[in-house]
Amino acid sequence: MLFPAKGPTAIKEISLLGVFLAYTLVISIIERMIPLSFTIPGIRLGLANVAVLLALYLFSFSKALLLLLMKCFMAALLSGSPAALMYSLGGSLLSFAIMLLLLKLGKEHFSPLGVSIAGAAFHNTGQILVACLLMKSRAVLFYLPPLLLVAIFTGTIIGILVSRLRPFLQAWM
Amino acid sequence: MIKKGDFLISAVLILAALAGMAISSWGKHIAKGDISADIYLNGELIKSVAKSEEEQVIRLESAAGYNVMQISPQGIRILEADCRNQDCVQAGLIYRSGEIIACLPHRLLIVLRGQKESEFDAISR
């Protein structure tokens, strides 16, 4: 069971997860409307990862994964495209896996900045791999190297947000 | 607070990106007629146009939607498409071998290929 506990902590967790989910859905719509780059397609800040990474720090891994999966499926419903689901699942799951791995390796080695940079890079990698599968071509890999550099920039911004918000939310929990 | 591992991750990413760029630019050259644009739809090669040919506009229509592309001596670009994100239009003009334009919603891929590819090029793709 994901939420066996009763009491104020469980209520706070459930309500915060709900707020996170609503936030990721709204931000995914807004980010789609604002392209950040005109040379490499599809660059986004990845603000939804603020919620996913905070959930990984504040809650158990299974609750963070639940948030991520619900975000992917509900965002796909909103966009109405099955291909969008494959891209978001491919990127999100790979990004989630690397962030989880880094947190298990030790919070003393990596700050939220490093974790979110790695998460951003693997999100891009996952999406490029899905594109390779869908287009049946390795030529799409051409986009990956610049995207990895962009991930350092976007991941840093997301990491700063997470490290600023985390103590505040931890105190509230 | 920034930790040592953060720098390690960034360093690995920079190295990986530089290595990837080096591989993809291997043998890349600004084309002077010895280049062709391969157009794929759903992973199948449907057209291969030599870039040196006279300027032409091709309209490709599939179940997913349409893309209008312009092939000129300068390169190839997508002029118009009915996809939502318009990434392919914003990608602009491509003119070097190895460069691509992808329209993910339509599963359309345009790859510029040098006619005289080295073995290395073929492997890196």
Side-chain angles (χ1 to χ4, degrees):
Chain A
M1 285 289 284
L2 270 172
F3 296 101
K6 286 181 180 158
T9 314
I11 292 168
K12 281 182 175 175
E13 280 195 358
I14 293 169
S15 48
L16 195 53
L17 274 173
V19 171
F20 280 175
L21 180 60
Y23 159 78
T24 59
L25 289 175
V26 171
I27 217 72
S28 77
I29 295 170
I30 294 174
E31 283 196 337
R32 261 208 307 267
M33 301 189 310
I34 312 166
L36 281 186
S37 152
F38 295 99
T39 46
I40 310 160
I43 290 183
R44 277 169 293 166
L45 212 42
L47 281 166
N49 201 37
V50 172
V52 176
L53 191 49
L54 276 173
L56 264 174
Y57 275 111
L58 298 172
F59 313 129
S60 64
F61 118 86
S62 50
K63 283 168 199 163
L65 184 61
L66 178 73
L67 169 72
L68 183 92
L69 290 175
M70 286 182 78
K71 183 249 167 185
C72 287
F73 282 100
M74 292 175 82
L77 280 178
L78 286 172
S79 78
S81 123
L85 178 64
M86 296 192 59
Y87 283 109
S88 89
L89 274 180
S92 302
L93 287 177
L94 206 58
S95 149
F96 188 82
I98 189 72
M99 292 195 297
L100 187 66
L101 179 74
L102 290 179
L103 288 180
K104 292 275 177 209
L105 281 176
K107 286 174 190 165
E108 64 273 11
H109 300 305
F110 306 103
S111 80
L113 266 79
V115 178
S116 82
I117 289 172
F122 275 73
H123 191 274
N124 292 338
T125 308
Q127 293 206 311
I128 291 286
L129 291 178
V130 172
C132 284
L133 280 178
L134 288 181
M135 314 275 260
K136 301 184 191 110
S137 168
R138 275 180 295 166
V140 193
L141 287 173
F142 174 78
Y143 283 138
L144 189 54
L147 282 174
L148 292 182
L149 295 180
V150 172
I152 297 174
F153 171 71
T154 60
T156 302
I157 294 173
I158 304 308
I160 291 170
L161 286 172
V162 170
S163 41
R164 288 287 167 89
L165 286 167
R166 184 160 73 118
F168 175 74
L169 287 169
Q170 230 149 18
W172 177 79
M173 288 291 287
Chain B
M1 196 178 63
I2 301 173
K3 301 210 169 99
K4 240 193 265 175
D6 302 343
F7 290 110
L8 185 70
I9 290 169
S10 307
V12 168
L13 285 179
I14 291 171
L15 285 178
L18 290 179
M21 283 172 179
I23 291 170
S24 74
S25 68
W26 193 290
K28 187 186 277 185
H29 47 96
I30 296 177
K32 296 185 190 82
D34 58 340
I35 208 167
S36 69
D38 291 352
I39 301 165
Y40 298 85
L41 202 63
N42 286 317
E44 281 166 48
L45 180 68
I46 55 160
K47 211 178 182 80
S48 186
V49 195
K51 212 196 66 177
S52 56
E53 283 175 16
E54 288 208 337
E55 184 171 319
Q56 55 174 313
V57 174
I58 300 175
R59 186 190 160 96
L60 262 186
E61 203 150 354
S62 71
Y66 73 88
N67 297 72
V68 180
M69 58 205 77
Q70 179 199 43
I71 299 150
S72 65
Q74 284 78 42
I76 182 164
R77 76 166 90 224
I78 296 202
L79 295 174
E80 196 192 331
D82 64 344
C83 57
R84 194 190 50 214
N85 54 24
Q86 299 289 305
D87 281 340
C88 54
V89 180
Q90 283 166 7
L93 187 79
I94 59 170
Y95 52 90
R96 281 176 296 195
S97 73
E99 284 190 308
I100 65 165
I101 297 178
C103 180
L104 300 182
H106 296 171
R107 297 199 192 173
L108 172 81
L109 183 67
I110 302 170
V111 187
L112 285 187
R113 289 195 202 283
Q115 303 275 305
K116 291 169 218 147
E117 263 183 40
S118 67
E119 232 180 290
F120 239 93
D121 254 23
I123 293 166
S124 69
R125 300 244 166 77

